[in-house]
Amino acid sequence: MSSLWRRVTDLPLQVDAYSLEGLQLETNSGFQRQTTEVWLEGAEATGRGEDVSWSANAQIAFRRRGASLPLAGHYTLGEFCANLDCLDLYPEPVPDPSWRHYRRWAFESAALDLALRQGDLGIEGVLGRHATPLHFAVSLGLHDFAPIAERLAIHPNMHFKLDATPEWSNELCAKLAALGTVQIVDFKGAYVGMPVETAVDLDLYRRVLEALPDVIVEDPHSKPAVLQLLKERGARIAWDAPIHSMADVDAMPAPAVALNIKPSRFGRLQRLFEAYDCCTARNLPMYGGGQFELGVGRRQIQLLASLFYPTSSNDVAPRGYHNLHVNEARPASPVAIEAAPSGFD
């Protein structure tokens, strides 16, 4: 059993009821993001988690069903999580099996939050770690330099995690290289069959690697020609989309120099904590990733990043960076993270 999971699995947990709260945000591109918070209630305390499934229709259907799952009872946290195996959390069809992990994470993270609050325990003390200032990179889908310039006007030392597109010219790559703050380039090659999947473009890989030879290449295509090019160039590869457990890490077609850890992709607290333990044992660097969380889920992944990989280029920027047209605070990196005295928040 994971040493981290052992620290939380026996926490007492009382669930009396639960409710669902919808969240939404209009993005810079006009896309309306919707998520749903799960509020578990028991013993005069409330624990929250967030479902980050990408379909607005799926989120609406989830909320319309309401509190239909038989969750009430007295458990340990481990027992509650195991009991979820017996329940259909996602009765509607899903385009990607990962979405089932996302909903599982909403309930398990809410249960951890509730168990800690009921025990008047903070996550720092339970896990034996202390939250430290969090370094983050702003993530962008990029076709030209204008969005970079707009964000540099906010904080001139901003770091970036960028999604590569075929529109990236030699000139744009040179501008990005001159910044010295592009840490990760995501090629979206592992999103097979999904709308964000990009076509194989060897010339794009060459342009990026020639201009940014030290950048981390996230989720390259697994085509032999791509992997051979990356090997020849000594590219530093990180994996994200296919990773739901350490078994997935070991099954990747090329070894990783780092992992993008998105807690909701793991779904289960136990698998996430096992990954933390295993990566630490292997000296495999981690950096945090988000799924456009709008509520408590964003604070939770920021807290985990500050506990386990605070100095990495974490793709967990504060919510104010989602839409620059909304008047919200946009702190510079690193940002101070303070864990609540009780709970997972």
Side-chain angles (χ1 to χ4, degrees):
M1 180 186 294
S2 157
S3 62
L4 288 171
W5 178 240
R6 190 179 297 115
R7 287 174 173 266
V8 300
T9 186
D10 292 328
L11 291 174
L13 175 65
Q14 176 183 332
V15 178
D16 298 332
Y18 76 97
S19 60
L20 305 172
E21 182 76 19
L23 302 173
Q24 65 180 40
L25 177 72
E26 196 82 16
T27 69
N28 294 309
S29 62
F31 165 67
Q32 187 184 81
R33 174 60 162 145
Q34 291 202 32
T35 66
T36 301
E37 284 191 345
V38 173
W39 293 37
L40 288 182
E41 301 168 5
E44 300 184 345
T46 301
R48 290 188 290 169
E50 187 173 357
D51 176 17
V52 294
S53 300
W54 284 96
S55 164
N57 289 335
Q59 297 287 0
I60 292 168
F62 182 31
R63 296 194 291 266
R64 282 178 176 169
R65 278 195 304 278
S68 58
L69 296 168
L71 299 181
H74 289 79
Y75 311 85
T76 64
L77 178 63
E79 290 169 345
F80 176 87
C81 294
N83 185 58
L84 295 178
D85 289 338
C86 305
L87 304 177
D88 191 356
L89 306 182
Y90 224 127
E92 64 268 26
V94 294
D96 183 342
S98 295
W99 291 16
R100 300 190 183 279
H101 297 305
Y102 303 163
R103 188 154 297 169
R104 179 74 176 242
W105 172 252
F107 282 96
E108 293 209 9
S109 56
L112 174 60
D113 190 24
L114 181 58
L116 291 170
R117 292 179 188 278
Q118 289 175 346
D120 195 24
L121 299 169
I123 193 165
E124 290 178 304
V126 170
L127 295 184
R129 288 178 171 264
H130 182 66
T132 58
L134 175 64
H135 293 250
F136 63 85
V138 173
S139 181
L140 289 172
L142 193 66
H143 299 280
D144 57 48
F145 196 76
I148 295 281
E150 190 176 18
R151 285 155 179 81
L152 289 175
I154 300 172
H155 297 297
N157 64 340
M158 192 172 293
H159 287 203
F160 295 96
K161 175 181 181 292
L162 303 177
D163 297 344
T165 69
E167 291 83 4
W168 283 25
S169 63
N170 286 328
E171 180 184 8
L172 176 58
C173 289
K175 284 185 176 181
L176 297 177
L179 288 177
T181 56
V182 178
Q183 307 293 307
I184 303 161
V185 175
D186 186 354
F187 284 86
K188 301 293 185 187
Y191 288 85
V192 179
M194 301 302 292
V196 296
E197 181 187 8
T198 59
V200 175
D201 186 338
L202 286 176
D203 287 336
L204 174 61
Y205 282 90
R206 291 190 184 98
R207 290 196 296 274
V208 170
L209 292 173
E210 286 172 4
L212 300 158
D214 297 324
V215 78
I216 289 178
V217 175
E218 183 176 284
D219 280 358
H221 291 81
S222 59
K223 302 290 185 183
V226 172
L227 296 178
Q228 181 61 31
L229 174 63
L230 295 176
K231 183 177 180 180
E232 291 172 356
R233 299 298 180 93
R236 303 165 65 221
I237 297 173
W239 297 106
D240 168 23
I243 304 305
H244 309 283
S245 68
M246 288 308 295
D248 292 332
V249 175
D250 294 333
M252 288 299 98
V257 301
L259 292 181
N260 184 345
I261 299 290
K262 292 183 177 174
S264 56
R265 286 205 195 282
F266 287 78
R268 301 166 187 253
L269 287 164
Q270 183 173 3
R271 284 185 182 173
L272 176 66
F273 288 163
E274 286 172 349
Y276 286 157
D277 281 337
C278 192
C279 287
T280 300
R282 296 183 185 185
N283 292 317
L284 179 60
M286 299 174 278
Y287 59 97
Q291 302 248 58
F292 213 146
E293 296 84 355
L294 300 182
V296 69
R298 195 72 176 176
R299 298 194 299 275
Q300 289 170 345
I301 64 171
Q302 289 171 337
L303 178 55
L304 288 170
S306 74
L307 292 171
F308 289 97
Y309 25 85
T311 61
S312 299
S313 296
N314 294 294
D315 181 12
V316 295
R319 174 175 159 160
Y321 289 96
H322 286 328
N323 190 335
L324 298 188
H325 305 298
V326 175
N327 185 21
E328 290 193 38
R330 298 179 182 90
S333 175
V335 62
I337 297 292
E338 293 186 10
S342 67
F344 175 31
D345 199 352

